[in-house]
Amino acid sequence: MSAGLFPAGVPKSKRVFDLLLAIPGVLVLSPLLAGLAILIRLRLGPPVLFLQTRPGYRGQPFTLYKFRTMMDTWDKDGRLLSDAERLTGLGRFLRSFSLDDLPNAINVLRGEMSVVVPRPLLIEYLDRYTAEQARRHDVLPGITGWAQVNGRNDLSWEDKFRLDVWYVDHWSLGLDIKILALTAWKVLRREGITQPGFATAQEFLGTGREPPPG
């Protein structure tokens, strides 16, 4: 369900800033979005979009929209294969330039996400956060954030959450503009896309309980 024009957890100035970015962005990028959708449909088959429930403001669930990057491939015992085995060459390309995140603009327009805020993680992580880490949900989730421009998947979970909470405490439109500029630079340099030893990033099991790489 759409969160409305001025959703909870977003200052009005920030919401206006989001819409001023998202609406022209969708219009300008519509040929690219259409082209990517056709390419994914031809290479991976349907569906083109990957939909997943993620926690939003105050942990309330919403449906995240992304371009699909993986095959739905199962082993002979009916178990879904690992991310590394299902991630396609096209998917790696989309992720390397963050093109898979472009449909997040739908969530921004619906008021479920902001452009610059901590990224929405998996719903099952909610009961694994410390009270301090959970403060990342005191704002709407976003497309990019302070952690994304300071290491992204090269960071430990603790460092990511520390940066997320720092952003919550220090938000300003000036900081958002700085993060957007740094995001463009990081995307062009293709930095921090995956965590060493993992197709994307290791699962967060709780502070001090991360599995070893491999």
Side-chain angles (χ1 to χ4, degrees), residues 54-55 58-60 121-137 161 203-207 209:
R54 297 286 180 95
R58 300 296 190 188
Q60 294 300 307
L121 301 175
L122 299 180
I123 202 84
E124 53 263 36
Y125 291 179
L126 283 177
D127 62 357
R128 304 177 188 177
Y129 297 126
T130 65
E132 178 69 6
Q133 292 167 350
R135 292 180 56 224
R136 70 190 307 276
H137 294 293
F161 298 147
E203 180 182 1
F204 175 63
L205 298 177
T207 299
R209 297 179 58 194

Side-chain angles (χ1 to χ4, degrees), residues 157-214:
W157 283 115
E158 282 76 13
D159 285 340
K160 288 180 187 177
F161 298 147
R162 177 179 52 79
L163 291 167
D164 287 344
V165 172
W166 185 91
Y167 173 86
V168 171
D169 291 337
H170 295 84
W171 170 79
S172 70
L173 285 178
L175 178 59
D176 281 2
I177 293 170
K178 176 180 179 180
I179 290 172
L180 285 173
L182 289 172
T183 297
W185 176 248
K186 295 287 185 178
V187 168
L188 290 174
R189 290 174 60 90
R190 303 166 69 182
E191 293 180 353
I193 299 164
T194 61
Q195 190 167 11
F198 296 88
T200 52
Q202 65 182 357
E203 180 182 1
F204 175 63
L205 298 177
T207 299
R209 297 179 58 194
E210 294 83 355

